[in-house]
Amino acid sequence: MARPWLEGFRIIAIVCVCLGMQISAHPVQAAPYAAMVIDARTGEVLHSRNADTRLHPASLTKMMTLYIAFEAVRMGEIGLDTKVRISKKAAAEPPSKLGLRPGQQIALRYLIRASAVRSANDAATAIGEAISGSEAAFARRMNRTAKALGMNSTTFKNAHGLTESGHLSTARDMTTLGRHLFYDYPEYYNLFSRRSTDTTMGTVANTNRRLLNAYRGADGIKTGYTRAAGFNLVASAERGQERIIATVFGGRSSATRNQRVAELLDLGFQRAPSVASVRKPAPPRYDRAFAQATRTDLALAKSPRPAARPQPVATLVAETVAPQVDSAEELIAMLAPSVSDAVKTTTEQLAAEDGSAEVANAPEPEAGFAEIPVAQGAAAPVMPRPLPVPEPRRFADVDPDVQPEVVTRISTSGGRQWGIHIGSYTTRYQAERVLLKIALKETGTLDEALRKVARKGGMFDANFVGMSAESAELACKRLTAQNIPCAPMSPTS
């Protein structure tokens, strides 16, 4: 007869074995894996795996939140210094978070920093509420923007990316979004490469700092993690004239995810051609109803126009009208009602001040242009006499003292048309860097111009070509007002 305690032990052993079999039959599943690698210059796909599988994006969602924030600032819907009042809903978001309090007011620029660098959920929700009034309305705008960008497999339900039923995207769509962030808003891209940033509530560290520090050329973009998603990352790196974007969904840990992304970036640099013409992605194409609704909202939100202050004609052209027109004829038509009065008033002011107005009103050099070297080893180009121009509009950057650095393929094409000469430099690299920085800063007049470096007598000339006579003249006026050398080049020069 078996002893009672031995029989009990056998029963416990049998139960344990059965439980073990049940557990082994249902192991813990890792998040599904997906990957995508593209040549950022052309959009060419260099590698993909499960790239169209709809998965949880986690905090990669904040890339869209930030894209719309940049768009809203550009369209005048909100300003970087606009004070945002934090709601109870935003303050109650779970970590990762900045620690915002209900009723607190904080400038939009700091919410942008916290979302991009710290991946703060409370900041992302606050951004959405500030722009659209509620997170639900902002999610609808996120989906309209995704559709306009060609992200056809993405559905957003919130601004932060925490797991929610139906909140899904793909490696392909998130790669597309990363490319648009780089090309559509280069003035903000430096945010994603910061190892840390100030938020007025303390300094926060970048969630992607390990890859930024470990991989040569890495300068962004965004991490993401939830239990449902695993460890996600959209990363971008630049080496020489090549730029690669790699995306990973479903990493098992931040370390293995970073290792896999590094391998994919290496793969991209191996497969990408060393020479390729940059083909920027098309801007978002919104449906007419959304565009009209946005314009109506903006019109209602504007305050009454203050009384006009007499300004020189150059002010009206360079600061108000020129960036919005496509031709000289359209420019003249827009200025016709006010040109006569402005010229008359300006002339009277200059005469009364005995010619001193030009010196008194000349803007101080912008700090951001201190990085642009002056041409060495050659005579300075002939400078056209600048008209009185106010201080040029600054980049809409989150930090005025940090300028974006975006490297793209330098075009060497262009016909015998008008252009502008910036200076001559001892190396091609210097000339290309100067052209790049100026192109990023002076988008209003140089957006359609081609950057061209020509070697002459052992020096490298930095030129913009493919311009009309009017655009070349206007560009030089704006650049010389900022203490940047510039001389127009005619088709015969």
Side-chain angles (χ1 to χ4, degrees), residues 243-473:
R243 176 169 288 277
I244 303 298
I245 297 177
T247 298
V248 163
F249 275 61
R252 295 176 179 272
S253 68
S254 61
T256 57
R257 172 201 64 192
N258 290 351
Q259 179 180 354
R260 181 56 180 159
V261 167
E263 293 170 353
L264 292 175
L265 289 171
D266 286 342
L267 176 68
F269 283 118
Q270 292 170 6
R271 294 183 176 180
S274 58
V275 177
S277 298
V278 174
R279 296 194 297 270
K280 295 182 180 181
R285 298 180 179 180
Y286 295 108
D287 59 68
R288 183 173 301 178
F290 172 60
Q292 181 62 40
T294 302
R295 287 195 295 269
T296 303
D297 292 342
L298 290 176
L300 294 174
K302 288 183 177 178
S303 59
R305 182 186 298 275
R309 183 178 65 181
Q311 300 182 52
V313 175
T315 299
L316 297 173
V317 175
E319 188 169 285
T320 308
V321 180
Q324 305 175 24
V325 299
D326 298 321
S327 66
E329 291 76 9
E330 185 180 351
L331 175 64
I332 293 172
M334 293 179 68
L335 287 176
S338 58
V339 167
S340 297
D341 291 340
V343 171
K344 180 180 179 181
T345 303
T346 302
T347 304
E348 292 174 353
Q349 289 178 341
L350 293 175
E353 298 175 13
D354 194 25
S356 62
E358 181 170 332
V359 176
N361 294 331
E364 296 180 359
E366 185 175 355
F369 285 106
E371 299 177 2
I372 300 178
V374 178
Q376 300 292 331
V382 178
M383 304 285 291
R385 182 176 180 270
L387 292 176
V389 182
E391 183 174 355
R393 292 177 300 170
R394 298 190 60 89
F395 252 163
D397 196 2
V398 177
D399 263 353
D401 59 338
V402 178
Q403 298 298 330
E405 181 177 325
V406 183
V407 178
T408 59
R409 173 68 58 191
I410 303 299
S411 173
T412 57
S413 64
R416 293 179 60 81
Q417 301 176 357
W418 280 80
I420 60 175
H421 174 63
I422 302 301
S424 299
Y425 300 86
T426 56
T427 68
R428 178 178 294 274
Y429 176 78
Q430 283 183 317
E432 290 177 348
R433 293 283 290 183
V434 168
L435 290 175
L436 185 63
K437 287 183 177 291
I438 292 177
L440 291 174
K441 294 174 183 294
E442 190 53 40
T443 57
T445 55
L446 297 176
D447 186 53
E448 300 298 327
L450 299 175
R451 302 188 294 276
K452 182 175 182 178
V453 176
R455 186 168 187 174
K456 290 185 179 180
M459 302 294 292
F460 294 89
D461 286 355
N463 303 322
F464 287 93
V465 298
M467 305 172 69
S468 65
E470 293 84 359
S471 63
E473 181 181 4

Side-chain angles (χ1 to χ4, degrees), residues 104-126:
Q104 176 184 353
Q105 294 191 40
I106 184 171
L108 176 68
R109 69 173 65 244
Y110 298 114
L111 296 176
I112 290 176
R113 292 182 190 179
S115 297
V117 177
R118 176 60 178 169
S119 196
N121 296 324
D122 49 359
T125 297

